[in-house]
Amino acid sequence: MEVTEASVLLLPFAAASVGVARRRLVSDLIAADVYDSAVCDVALVISELFSNALRHAAPLPGSKIRVAWRIDPGRVQVSVSDGGGPTVPELGEPTQGATGGRGLRIVEKLSSRWGTSAGDEGTTVWAEVPVRQAEMTRIVVPAVATESG
Amino acid sequence: MELNVSSRFHDDHTIVTISGEIDLYTAPRLHSELAAVLADGMPTRVVIDMSGVEFCDSTGMNVLLSCLRRVRERGGELEIASPKPAVRKILQVTGLDSVFTLVDDANRSRPKPAVPQ
């Protein structure tokens, strides 16, 4: 599979944009033959990063938020850029039944690496998620499927 | 696709059926719909049928957790029925699969005891 160009979306800094970004990314992943389970992982990661930005940061100029992704063989990199906030993104330590504090924990679990960068414009949080695509999986992992239903 | 929530009574429990996607945008509506269900008749056993939920992130899980807490506060129980793989994944990644009771079928009157494998 060829390396794709990065996709960049500049969206309104609003909760409704989370689903817009996620659905666009999911349709790109499906078009790239990424396996369903990996599509779920990437969808979750972008949703968590995007929601964190909306909760904790300021918008980019013009009340915008920028999301970008790049689908490479074996991995997908997603990033969300905002106008920065009073705190840097950090892992929460939620107790078992606590509400809140789980977003970046989920990102950490599902990604091979993640990080933040701050520039004049604001803050970018990115994550790289390992994915398997249909054509690769046939070679690398034969017969892992289990019968169900 | 956004979010639909409906509820009905079945035998000894209330079934809340959710379909669509649960995220930062739709979670507030889920929260108010669940609050209305809990206020209406104070059900002690609530089964959330998630078979139609295509996506749920940590914001959605937080709504379900606060609902779970309210039900348990009055000695009730809350179960999640028939989650799709995407929902199972977040339950597993967050460890919340051990906090919620997961069942296969929302219509069953009593949850099947867990069988270790």
Side-chain angles (χ1 to χ4, degrees):
Chain A
M1 183 200 151
E2 291 177 16
V3 173
T4 61
E5 292 292 311
S7 300
V8 181
L9 291 181
L10 196 60
L11 296 168
F13 192 82
S17 296
V18 180
V20 174
R22 188 178 59 241
R23 285 186 284 269
R24 284 281 293 273
L25 173 54
V26 163
S27 87
D28 279 7
L29 294 169
I30 291 169
D33 278 338
V34 171
Y35 264 29
D36 286 355
S37 60
V39 172
C40 290
D41 291 354
V42 181
L44 200 45
V45 166
I46 197 171
S47 222
E48 299 299 343
L49 293 181
F50 206 118
S51 301
N52 271 354
L54 292 175
R55 278 203 190 92
H56 303 298
L60 291 169
S63 259
K64 300 289 186 185
I65 180 168
R66 186 169 58 232
V67 57
W69 57 83
R70 212 177 100 151
I71 305 171
D72 292 327
R75 65 179 185 181
V76 175
Q77 190 176 77
V78 299
S79 66
V80 175
S81 305
D82 55 50
T87 56
V88 293
E90 58 183 26
L91 293 173
E93 292 284 352
T95 56
Q96 198 178 41
T99 56
R102 289 195 175 77
L104 276 178
R105 285 266 163 223
I106 293 171
V107 172
E108 190 192 47
K109 281 210 171 174
L110 297 180
S111 62
S112 48
R113 50 191 193 132
W114 69 276
T116 63
S117 61
D120 292 342
E121 258 206 332
T123 304
T124 296
V125 186
W126 58 269
E128 205 172 88
V129 184
V131 299
R132 290 188 305 157
Q133 283 144 300
E135 59 183 359
M136 299 169 61
T137 311
R138 275 202 299 274
I139 301 162
V140 178
V141 188
V144 290
T146 53
E147 286 294 323
S148 65
Chain B
M1 179 188 293
E2 289 185 0
L3 184 77
N4 286 300
V5 185
S6 62
S7 62
R8 64 194 160 94
F9 295 98
H10 181 89
D11 290 348
D12 59 341
H13 59 285
T14 298
I15 300 175
V16 181
T17 303
I18 310 174
S19 62
E21 299 177 333
I22 313 173
D23 63 13
L24 190 66
Y25 182 56
T26 59
R29 199 152 57 78
L30 176 62
H31 183 84
S32 57
E33 299 272 2
L34 288 175
V37 169
L38 296 192
D40 182 19
M42 301 279 281
T44 53
R45 183 165 169 241
V46 178
V47 180
I48 304 208
D49 182 348
M50 293 191 75
S51 60
V53 174
E54 305 291 339
F55 178 83
C56 180
D57 64 12
S58 69
T59 309
M61 282 294 138
N62 290 338
V63 172
L64 296 177
L65 273 170
S66 73
C67 184
L68 172 73
R69 187 176 300 150
R70 291 190 57 193
V71 172
R72 282 192 180 158
E73 271 168 8
R74 55 182 193 233
E77 53 183 319
L78 181 143
E79 292 152 23
I80 291 180
S82 313
K84 281 180 188 277
V87 175
R88 282 192 185 276
K89 184 63 181 275
I90 186 174
L91 285 165
Q92 174 216 324
V93 165
T94 54
L96 292 174
D97 51 357
S98 64
V99 174
F100 289 105
T101 304
L102 301 183
V103 296
D104 294 333
D105 179 2
N107 292 311
R108 194 162 48 217
S109 296
R110 284 278 168 239
K112 191 168 60 178
V115 178
Q117 297 195 346

